[in-house]
């Protein structure tokens, strides 16, 4: 059984994240795709449609004699565009909530079951019972993002005219990611309010700030590298196909059509991988969260003492 409550250093924050997936990855992702697979398929299918229409509009406008081509299209299809946008937005919102909450609930159940097996139904039941809490938490985070968050981002952008702004962004963005995730773990594991959870999340972030920020940066970079590698393959194929079509004196429309399809595939792959690989980042912060709890609560030490008493009986 993977040990959640364990005192860890910086290198163990990273190595134990991969150890978790080595030991529990098959069970984790099997339940992940049982719960989130259909939603991801719907999202990718809708994304394919949206991106395909977008690129067709862009490339069909090349060489067009009408200066109001895009305006005419939007005016003639305004109802469809608004409808698709609303469905797309709501689907992304719901998939994001499920995707972000799944690893938090998985680790919570892993702790509760003490190595005993559990299935997707238990995770779904846990999600249903806490859905209201999840919505409230992210609603508060959204409101804070468009107030305090925009102010912070504005200051960072202003400071980017000098080098220190870039340095602060590299530190502050992963710190904010870890802060929100620690707060969410705290909120989902304790009967406390959102703002109490945010306070505890901040305390945990400052408890071991630099190793936490460093670990979050490394995980984020790994995710971006993997996404870039898999997304680059269809992109390169699309570029090569476009130039091959032009060299063979094929029609310009055919060349741009092939490139557009490949770009749609790139966007869909990037979207899908971003959701799936985000588990790596959330689990990493979960490993850190339980490690910090062990430092504060000494749960393993207490359990060992209880076991000694049990053995004595």
């Amino acid at each position: 059984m993977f040990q959640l409550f364990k005192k860890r250093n910086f290198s163990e924050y990273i190595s134990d994240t991969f150890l978790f997936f080595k030991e529990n990855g098959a069970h984790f992702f099997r339940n992940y795709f049982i719960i989130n697979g259909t939603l991801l398929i719907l999202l990718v299918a809708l994304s394919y449609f949206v991106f395909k229409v977008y690129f067709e509009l862009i490339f069909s406008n090349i060489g067009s004699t009408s200066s109001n081509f895009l305006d005419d299209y939007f005016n003639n299809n305004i109802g469809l565009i608004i409808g698709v946008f609303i469905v797309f937005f709501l689907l992304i919102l719901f998939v994001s909530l499920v995707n972000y909450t799944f690893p938090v609930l998985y680790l919570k159940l892993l702790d509760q079951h003490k190595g005993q097996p559990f299935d997707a139904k238990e995770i779904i039941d846990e999600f249903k019972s806490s859905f209201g809490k999840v919505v409230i938490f992210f609603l508060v985070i959204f409101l804070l993002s468009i107030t305090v968050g925009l102010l912070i981002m504005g200051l960072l952008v202003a400071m980017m005219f000098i080098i220190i702004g870039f340095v602060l962004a590299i530190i502050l963005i992963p710190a904010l990611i870890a802060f929100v995730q620690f707060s969410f773990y705290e909120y989902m594991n304790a009967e406390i309010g959102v703002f109490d959870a945010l306070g505890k999340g901040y305390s945990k972030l400052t408890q071991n700030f630099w190793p936490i920020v460093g670990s979050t940066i490394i995980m984020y970079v790994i995710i971006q590298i993997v996404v870039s590698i898999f997304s680059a393959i269809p992109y390169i194929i699309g570029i090569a196909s476009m130039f091959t079509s032009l060299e063979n004196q094929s029609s310009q429309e055919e060349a741009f059509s092939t490139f557009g399809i490949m770009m749609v595939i790139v966007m869909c792959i990037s979207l899908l991988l971003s959701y799936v690989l985000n588990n790596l980042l959330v689990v990493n912060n979960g490993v850190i969260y339980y490690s910090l709890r062990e430092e504060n609560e000494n749960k393993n030490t207490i359990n060992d003492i209880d076991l000694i008493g049990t053995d004595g009986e």
Side-chain angles (χ1 to χ4, degrees):
M1 173 188 171
F2 180 79
Q3 188 175 353
L4 283 174
F5 288 96
K6 171 186 172 183
K7 294 179 181 178
R8 298 176 173 91
N9 55 32
F10 169 69
S11 62
E12 289 174 318
Y13 288 163
I14 300 169
S15 62
D16 278 12
T17 300
F18 289 105
L19 178 62
F20 167 83
F21 284 107
K22 180 180 178 181
E23 295 183 358
N24 299 80
H27 183 258
F28 179 93
F29 282 110
R30 181 170 67 252
N31 287 287
Y32 173 81
F33 285 113
I34 289 173
I35 294 170
N36 217 22
T38 303
L39 293 172
L40 287 173
I41 291 172
L42 288 174
L43 181 60
V44 170
L46 187 58
S47 300
Y48 180 86
F49 170 75
V50 172
F51 294 142
K52 188 172 184 294
V53 171
Y54 171 76
F55 283 110
E56 284 179 351
L57 281 173
I58 295 298
F59 292 130
S60 61
N61 194 36
I62 297 176
S64 175
T65 57
S66 174
S67 59
N68 297 318
F69 178 82
L70 292 178
D71 289 340
D72 293 340
Y73 180 86
F74 284 114
N75 290 333
N76 293 331
N77 299 276
I78 188 65
L80 177 63
I81 293 170
I82 293 176
V84 170
F85 176 80
I86 292 174
V87 173
F88 191 51
F89 174 77
L90 292 176
L91 184 58
I92 284 181
L93 188 62
F94 186 69
V95 172
S96 298
L97 287 178
V98 175
N99 197 82
Y100 197 89
T101 306
F102 175 84
V104 177
L105 295 180
Y106 184 93
L107 294 184
K108 179 181 178 180
L109 289 172
L110 187 67
D111 173 45
Q112 291 178 351
H113 284 262
K114 306 298 181 185
Q116 298 301 314
F118 57 92
D119 56 21
K121 183 180 182 303
E122 291 185 65
I123 303 174
I124 294 172
D125 291 341
E126 190 74 26
F127 180 77
K128 287 179 179 178
S129 65
S130 57
F131 181 73
K133 289 185 65 175
V134 173
V135 172
I136 291 172
F137 180 86
F138 284 104
L139 182 60
V140 171
I141 293 298
F142 172 75
L143 294 175
L144 290 175
S145 298
I146 62 176
T147 53
V148 180
L150 287 178
L151 178 61
I152 293 173
M153 292 305 297
L155 291 173
L156 281 176
V157 171
M159 294 182 70
M160 282 182 181
F161 289 102
I162 56 178
I163 297 178
I164 192 172
F166 291 97
V167 177
L168 287 175
I170 292 173
I171 298 171
L172 186 58
I173 292 174
L176 287 173
I177 292 173
F179 162 64
V180 172
Q181 291 182 348
F182 290 161
S183 301
F184 190 49
Y185 271 102
E186 197 68 53
Y187 184 62
M188 297 301 290
N189 281 275
E191 295 298 325
I192 58 176
V194 177
F195 291 100
D196 288 336
L198 291 173
K200 290 181 178 295
Y202 177 78
S203 297
K204 284 181 169 55
L205 174 65
T206 55
Q207 184 175 334
N208 206 7
F209 182 82
W210 291 110
I212 291 170
V213 170
S215 176
T216 303
I217 290 173
I218 289 173
M219 288 300 166
Y220 182 79
V221 169
I222 290 173
I223 291 171
Q224 294 307 310
I225 289 174
V226 174
V227 171
S228 299
I229 290 173
F230 282 94
S231 300
I233 296 173
Y235 179 77
I236 293 171
I237 294 173
I239 291 288
S241 300
M242 185 176 69
F243 281 110
T244 301
S245 299
L246 292 176
E247 288 177 359
N248 293 335
Q249 296 181 344
S250 300
S251 66
Q252 186 182 40
E253 290 79 7
E254 181 183 345
F256 282 125
S257 175
T258 302
F259 180 70
I261 291 173
M262 288 302 174
M263 287 301 298
V264 171
I265 294 174
V266 167
M267 300 289 282
C268 291
I269 290 175
S270 299
L271 182 66
L272 179 61
L273 286 177
S274 295
Y275 274 106
V276 175
L277 293 178
N278 186 65
N279 288 294
L280 186 66
L281 185 59
V282 182
V283 168
N284 174 249
N285 281 143
V287 168
I288 299 172
Y289 166 78
Y290 284 99
S291 176
L292 296 174
R293 281 189 59 186
E294 174 61 23
E295 291 183 19
N296 298 331
E297 303 172 20
N298 292 314
K299 292 180 71 69
N300 270 332
T301 303
I302 295 172
N303 289 338
D304 290 342
I305 293 173
D306 290 341
L307 287 173
I308 292 172
T310 304
D311 292 341
E313 295 175 359

